[in-house]
Amino acid sequence: MATLIAPPNHSPQEDAESLNKAFQGWGTDERSVIAILGHRNVHQRQQIRRAYEEIFHEDLVKRLESEIRGDFEKAVYRWILEPADRDAVLANVAIRNGMNYHIIVEISCVLSPEELLAVRRAYLNRYKRSLEEDVAAHTSGHLRQAKMNADRIGLVYGYLYKIRNPIELLLLGLVTAYRYIGDEINAKLAQSEAEILHEAVKEKKGSQEEAIRVLSTRSKTQLIATFNRYREIHGTSITKKLLDEASDEFQKALYTAIRCINDHVKYYEKVVRNAIKKVGTDEDALTRVVVSRAEKDLKVISEVYYKRNSVLLEHAVAKETSGDYKHFLLTLLGKQE
Amino acid sequence: MATLIAPPNHSPQEDAESLNKAFQGWGTDERSVIAILGHRNVHQRQQIRRAYEEIFHEDLVKRLESEIRGDFEKAVYRWILEPADRDAVLANVAIRNGMNYHIIVEISCVLSPEELLAVRRAYLNRYKRSLEEDVAAHTSGHLRQAKMNADRIGLVYGYLYKIRNPIELLLLGLVTAYRYIGDEINAKLAQSEAEILHEAVKEKKGSQEEAIRVLSTRSKTQLIATFNRYREIHGTSITKKLLDEASDEFQKALYTAIRCINDHVKYYEKVVRNAIKKVGTDEDALTRVVVSRAEKDLKVISEVYYKRNSVLLEHAVAKETSGDYKHFLLTLLGKQE
């Protein structure tokens, strides 16, 4: 269930004109911006963008960027985009910021197969490169660098190449996945692949590649059956096991992938919880979850948050944020004026 | 340019009824089947299927399977399907028949990014598994088997895992690719990646994975620039080099991928040439090219064939095939009655 409150009837033209009015004069009337955009669904927002372009011959997104600032600007910018386009931007920022691969994993594993394809399409349109191209270029960049140095100083050539970066393979597998959607479960496969995952958890040599194959090709239903089988065999969930034992980046990425596939609501609750708990608050993470889920299942995430923390999510957000940014997030969280 | 001759006006109902009449009595009137289906484009064929279903409450494809036989049946069956569905079938047959990976490479590298996605979608719908799932399961099957035996007899566990199957990685990369389509060329990249490909040709250790990354993520325009750069640096084309030096299956797959990306018309001409030259003729390959390209560029392939062999393709086909199968191929090749 969504938290967004959007009126069924709105006039894109009136909205565009009200926004333009909010931009006039000294400073911007942020409250009006929030009152409008914070109460419009994805289709309505696109209509407003088009109406604004037609009336004022100016891109609303560009205008907003010049009118508002900081976390508020970032949140409004992400919010106004269509979901696939927004995820393309989030992925690109994650790649450029030293490869925050958890966000890449999150996008790949939470979205439906068709939604993921839409993100890849949006990424191509926006950046003129494929998502997997950028992921591959950025994850293995330091390996290639190492190789060239080796050449220069005359080391045995092939050696450094062999140090595979399993995270690259995992990310590429997840990002390019196009899974079957269906309820069929193969119990025998769940059994054998639970063991493959267990080997990857225990860091058996070579087991990583098998785990990647399983996680990037099986349907989500099948994978959840595999995770359940794992718990039956080992008496603890694979995510608990990974949390206790994860020793390297690959295992941490594995952990994120499994959580996103298994129960993305619980996953998002934890992202929000950590973002709020963090000293100084992780605004990027908080914005990402609120903006991405407000039209989908933020209400459910919010309920799980309350159950887990005995604090209302909107109270926690209100406590940790301020100003227009706070006001905007609370609006998307469904807080009535 | 296509070779198919299809009248702009046809009545799907009349066609369905004529086909049904051709099925009546003792034996099938194959000439009528060819006269109708061999002169209908993809949309018309789907209309006929729907009309047949409505009028006779029977799937035309199933009925055809029970009416006709052998190479002719196979050709008609492949022809009647929509292109994405046909390629899904071709890919599945290739996987089941001991992994004929050249067909997987061909489908992945000749099709446009959106066409390839459509094949993956059709594959999911038809087989309830993803294409990459089946490719991964079949290419690395024997490695997993080896691993289990090693466990049983107590060999060092991780060792056999390490023997990566680079063909698996190449096929997965190509099958899941979603390339950028655009004319931009990065000359510096073409230079450095021509060298990466050269290392893979020379079988430098570890170079395979880099070559896979290049071939499965770059745009076709960029890759063609890279192949051209290769020729400038090394004085010979990369495909010529591979043809002379290819020593293993991975390099042969690389060869196919590069040919398909570089110039699929020349690639198809060679497939047809080899199919015809082969003792006994390779009907599967011949059918595949004629059926897949008749509505696209079979005329161009045919012209290139004539230039190369000084024999008209339809004469060569007529010489090597017979009966209804021959008649059907010639019809698709645009031979007038």
Side-chain angles (χ1 to χ4, degrees):
Chain A
M1 280 181 310
T3 51
L4 178 72
I5 301 166
N9 304 312
H10 83 123
S11 155
Q13 288 71 27
E14 275 177 33
D15 283 347
E17 274 161 15
S18 305
L19 283 169
N20 189 258
K21 209 192 250 169
F23 301 148
Q24 303 306 316
W26 195 83
T28 306
D29 176 3
E30 285 89 358
R31 292 289 154 139
S32 296
V33 173
I34 295 171
I36 298 165
L37 292 178
H39 289 293
R40 298 292 181 270
N41 66 34
V42 60
H43 304 294
Q44 295 172 333
R45 298 195 300 277
Q46 304 319 311
Q47 287 177 323
I48 296 173
R49 277 185 77 173
R50 277 194 296 276
Y52 196 94
E53 180 83 46
E54 274 167 29
I55 303 171
F56 304 106
H57 308 289
E58 190 183 12
D59 182 1
L60 175 59
V61 175
K62 289 233 171 81
R63 182 63 192 256
L64 277 165
E65 283 179 317
S66 75
E67 291 288 338
I68 58 182
R69 289 282 170 274
D71 293 321
F72 177 50
E73 177 200 341
K74 245 191 212 173
V76 170
Y77 176 74
R78 303 219 181 319
W79 172 245
I80 206 167
L81 302 177
E82 287 181 278
D85 203 25
R86 173 197 305 143
D87 284 332
V89 170
L90 288 171
N92 185 260
V93 170
I95 290 169
R96 286 188 291 109
N97 286 352
M99 200 66 205
N100 183 337
Y101 53 78
H102 290 290
I103 293 177
I104 306 290
V105 171
E106 173 185 306
I107 290 170
S108 310
C109 294
V110 170
L111 298 188
S112 76
E114 288 297 335
E115 285 170 339
L116 179 55
L117 287 188
V119 174
R120 293 173 74 186
R121 202 170 283 127
Y123 198 99
L124 279 188
N125 287 339
R126 208 171 242 278
Y127 304 108
K128 315 289 175 214
R129 297 163 58 94
S130 68
L131 175 54
E132 59 267 33
E133 194 169 0
D134 278 354
V135 166
H138 283 76
T139 42
S140 55
H142 64 287
L143 284 186
R144 270 193 287 288
Q145 189 54 45
K147 177 221 134 221
M148 292 198 301
N149 290 340
D151 270 357
R152 204 170 300 140
I153 55 175
L155 284 183
V156 178
Y157 183 81
Y159 181 70
L160 280 155
Y161 258 135
K162 269 188 167 169
I163 309 167
R164 262 317 266 191
N165 188 343
I167 290 195
E168 177 185 357
L169 283 181
L170 177 63
L171 293 181
L172 287 178
L174 296 176
V175 149
T176 61
Y178 184 61
R179 302 172 196 280
Y180 173 60
I181 302 180
D183 290 333
E184 295 90 338
I185 289 171
N186 180 332
K188 227 176 111 185
L189 211 60
Q191 166 80 26
S192 65
E193 296 189 342
E195 287 311 284
I196 287 176
L197 295 182
H198 188 59
E199 286 163 12
V201 172
K202 291 198 300 177
E203 298 184 72
K204 282 222 175 175
K205 265 188 189 160
S207 59
Q208 295 171 333
E209 288 165 354
E210 284 287 84
I212 291 167
R213 179 184 60 80
V214 170
L215 286 175
S216 62
T217 65
R218 300 302 182 200
S219 77
K220 288 191 184 177
T221 312
Q222 177 68 32
L223 284 173
I224 291 172
T226 301
F227 304 151
N228 289 337
R229 193 76 198 95
Y230 185 99
R231 202 180 36 239
E232 287 162 24
I233 301 172
H234 299 285
T236 181
S237 74
I238 182 165
T239 45
K240 179 80 175 54
K241 194 94 181 165
L242 275 166
L243 198 61
D244 292 344
E245 301 194 1
S247 59
D248 60 16
E249 296 295 292
F250 174 76
Q251 294 201 313
K252 284 176 192 160
L254 210 60
Y255 172 77
T256 302
I258 293 173
R259 294 208 65 196
C260 288
I261 292 168
N262 200 38
D263 187 340
H264 72 269
V265 167
K266 276 171 69 180
Y267 163 81
Y268 278 126
E269 186 279 330
K270 191 168 178 181
V271 172
V272 168
R273 178 163 24 106
N274 288 341
I276 289 173
K277 244 184 7 198
K278 202 175 162 187
V279 182
T281 316
D282 181 350
E283 284 88 2
D284 280 348
L286 185 58
T287 299
R288 190 173 87 245
V289 178
V290 171
V291 157
S292 303
R293 311 310 298 184
E295 281 180 277
K296 291 180 173 164
D297 48 15
L298 192 52
K299 198 165 235 165
V300 190
I301 295 168
S302 182
E303 284 162 9
V304 173
Y305 183 91
Y306 182 70
K307 248 190 184 160
R308 175 74 167 70
N309 306 282
S310 309
V311 179
L312 286 173
L313 180 54
E314 57 204 69
H315 288 172
V317 169
K319 201 167 153 246
E320 297 298 328
T321 57
S322 64
D324 299 316
Y325 176 58
K326 163 178 152 182
H327 188 54
F328 184 56
L329 289 192
L330 292 181
T331 303
L332 294 186
L333 273 160
K335 203 171 177 305
Q336 301 281 7
E337 312 296 294
Chain B
M1 277 181 310
T3 51
L4 178 73
I5 302 166
N9 302 313
H10 83 123
S11 154
Q13 287 72 28
E14 276 177 33
D15 282 348
E17 275 162 15
S18 305
L19 284 169
N20 188 257
K21 211 193 251 168
F23 301 149
Q24 302 306 316
W26 195 83
T28 306
D29 176 4
E30 284 88 358
R31 294 287 154 140
S32 296
V33 172
I34 296 171
I36 299 165
L37 293 178
H39 289 293
R40 298 293 180 271
N41 67 33
V42 58
H43 303 295
Q44 295 171 333
R45 298 195 300 277
Q46 304 319 312
Q47 287 177 323
I48 296 173
R49 277 185 77 173
R50 276 195 295 276
Y52 196 93
E53 179 85 44
E54 274 167 29
I55 302 172
F56 303 107
H57 307 289
E58 191 184 9
D59 182 2
L60 175 59
V61 175
K62 290 232 169 78
R63 181 64 191 255
L64 277 165
E65 283 179 317
S66 75
E67 291 287 337
I68 58 181
R69 290 280 170 275
D71 292 322
F72 178 50
E73 177 200 340
K74 245 191 212 172
V76 171
Y77 176 74
R78 301 217 184 318
W79 172 245
I80 206 167
L81 301 177
E82 288 182 278
D85 203 23
R86 173 196 305 143
D87 283 333
V89 170
L90 288 171
N92 185 258
V93 171
I95 290 170
R96 285 189 292 110
N97 287 352
M99 200 66 207
N100 184 337
Y101 52 78
H102 290 290
I103 294 177
I104 307 289
V105 171
E106 173 185 306
I107 291 170
S108 309
C109 295
V110 171
L111 299 188
S112 76
E114 289 296 335
E115 285 170 338
L116 179 56
L117 287 188
V119 174
R120 293 174 74 185
R121 203 171 282 126
Y123 198 98
L124 278 188
N125 287 338
R126 209 171 241 278
Y127 304 108
K128 315 291 175 210
R129 295 161 60 92
S130 68
L131 175 54
E132 59 268 33
E133 193 168 1
D134 278 353
V135 166
H138 283 75
T139 40
S140 55
H142 65 286
L143 284 186
R144 269 192 288 288
Q145 189 55 43
K147 177 223 134 220
M148 292 198 300
N149 291 340
D151 270 357
R152 204 171 300 139
I153 54 175
L155 285 183
V156 178
Y157 184 82
Y159 181 69
L160 280 154
Y161 258 137
K162 269 186 166 170
I163 309 166
R164 262 317 267 189
N165 188 342
I167 289 195
E168 177 186 356
L169 282 181
L170 177 62
L171 293 181
L172 287 179
L174 296 176
V175 150
T176 61
Y178 184 61
R179 303 172 194 280
Y180 173 60
I181 303 179
D183 290 333
E184 295 90 337
I185 288 172
N186 179 332
K188 226 176 112 186
L189 211 59
Q191 166 79 25
S192 63
E193 297 189 340
E195 286 312 282
I196 287 176
L197 295 181
H198 187 60
E199 286 163 14
V201 172
K202 291 197 299 174
E203 298 184 72
K204 282 223 176 175
K205 266 189 188 158
S207 60
Q208 296 171 332
E209 288 165 353
E210 285 287 85
I212 291 168
R213 178 184 61 79
V214 171
L215 286 175
S216 61
T217 65
R218 298 304 181 199
S219 77
K220 287 191 185 177
T221 312
Q222 176 68 33
L223 284 173
I224 290 170
T226 301
F227 305 150
N228 290 339
R229 194 75 198 94
Y230 185 100
R231 201 180 37 241
E232 288 163 24
I233 301 171
H234 299 284
T236 180
S237 74
I238 182 164
T239 46
K240 180 80 176 54
K241 193 94 181 164
L242 274 167
L243 197 61
D244 292 343
E245 302 194 2
S247 60
D248 60 16
E249 296 295 292
F250 174 76
Q251 294 200 313
K252 285 177 191 159
L254 210 60
Y255 173 76
T256 303
I258 293 172
R259 294 208 65 198
C260 288
I261 292 167
N262 200 38
D263 187 340
H264 72 268
V265 167
K266 275 173 69 182
Y267 164 80
Y268 277 126
E269 186 279 329
K270 191 167 181 183
V271 172
V272 168
R273 175 161 28 102
N274 288 341
I276 288 172
K277 246 187 1 202
K278 203 176 161 186
V279 182
T281 315
D282 182 350
E283 283 87 4
D284 280 349
L286 185 57
T287 300
R288 189 174 87 245
V289 177
V290 171
V291 157
S292 303
R293 310 310 298 184
E295 281 181 275
K296 292 180 172 166
D297 48 16
L298 191 53
K299 197 165 234 162
V300 189
I301 295 168
S302 182
E303 285 163 9
V304 173
Y305 182 91
Y306 182 71
K307 246 191 185 161
R308 177 73 166 70
N309 305 281
S310 308
V311 179
L312 286 174
L313 179 55
E314 56 205 70
H315 288 170
V317 168
K319 200 166 153 245
E320 297 298 328
T321 57
S322 64
D324 300 316
Y325 175 58
K326 163 178 151 182
H327 188 54
F328 184 57
L329 289 192
L330 292 180
T331 304
L332 294 187
L333 274 159
K335 201 169 176 307
Q336 300 281 6
E337 312 295 296

